[in-house]
Amino acid sequence: MLENKDYFEEVYRVVREVPTGRVTTYGAIARYLSLRAGARMVGWAMNAAHGSDVPAHRVVNRIGVLSGKHFFGGPTVMQERLEAEGIRVEDDRIVEFNKLLWDPSVELAV
DNA sequence: TCGCTGACAGCTT
DNA sequence: AAAGCTGCCAGCG
């Protein structure tokens, strides 16, 4: 039930709802928000989230890879943050990502 | 002013 | 089953 380009606010809302120690994917958010723009715009919204209270480090691609780690001001900043929350990261990939995955369409149960 | 790329994901061949 | 192409919005070249 989205209005218009304010979708980025919805993205922030969802990302903030992500519990500590959990991670989500761009596709999960895009699907939950019914973003026809696909996951790309979600990532773009994260770009705008740079500096906001949005824990973008908890958002990764569908394979659990820290695709946007390079955008955190450092190549290991994202990993450091994830590890600080108890999330194990190995080779830029989230360990047991499938288990740590927090899907809004599932957790929020619509 | 026109075209390409980009924090991705899903469909088609 | 695996690999490649397209879609979407917006910022840059």
Side-chain angles (χ1 to χ4, degrees):
Chain A
M1 201 181 274
L2 296 179
E3 297 303 315
N4 43 30
K5 49 191 170 183
D6 291 324
Y7 67 91
F8 71 96
E9 291 186 15
E10 297 296 327
V11 175
Y12 295 166
R13 182 74 61 87
V14 176
V15 177
R16 282 184 203 172
E17 290 297 305
V18 178
T20 306
R22 281 309 169 184
V23 291
T24 188
T25 67
Y26 304 98
I29 298 172
R31 184 175 66 179
Y32 176 70
L33 299 177
S34 301
L35 289 178
R36 302 164 213 174
R40 275 203 207 208
M41 291 286 77
V42 178
W44 202 254
M46 299 270 92
N47 193 1
H50 218 301
S52 300
D53 296 339
V54 181
H57 60 275
R58 292 181 192 157
V59 184
V60 295
N61 61 359
R62 76 171 186 93
I63 31 185
V65 174
L66 286 54
S67 38
K69 63 171 185 171
H70 196 73
F71 278 59
F72 280 77
T76 55
V77 176
M78 190 173 183
Q79 181 174 339
E80 291 281 321
R81 275 191 167 177
L82 290 172
E83 290 180 331
E85 296 188 352
I87 300 176
R88 287 169 286 181
V89 180
E90 187 173 292
D91 189 44
D92 296 333
R93 289 175 300 187
I94 297 178
V95 181
E96 298 183 290
F97 163 72
N98 189 15
K99 193 193 295 186
L100 297 175
L101 177 60
W102 185 85
D103 191 328
S105 298
V106 177
E107 303 300 327
L108 297 181
V110 186

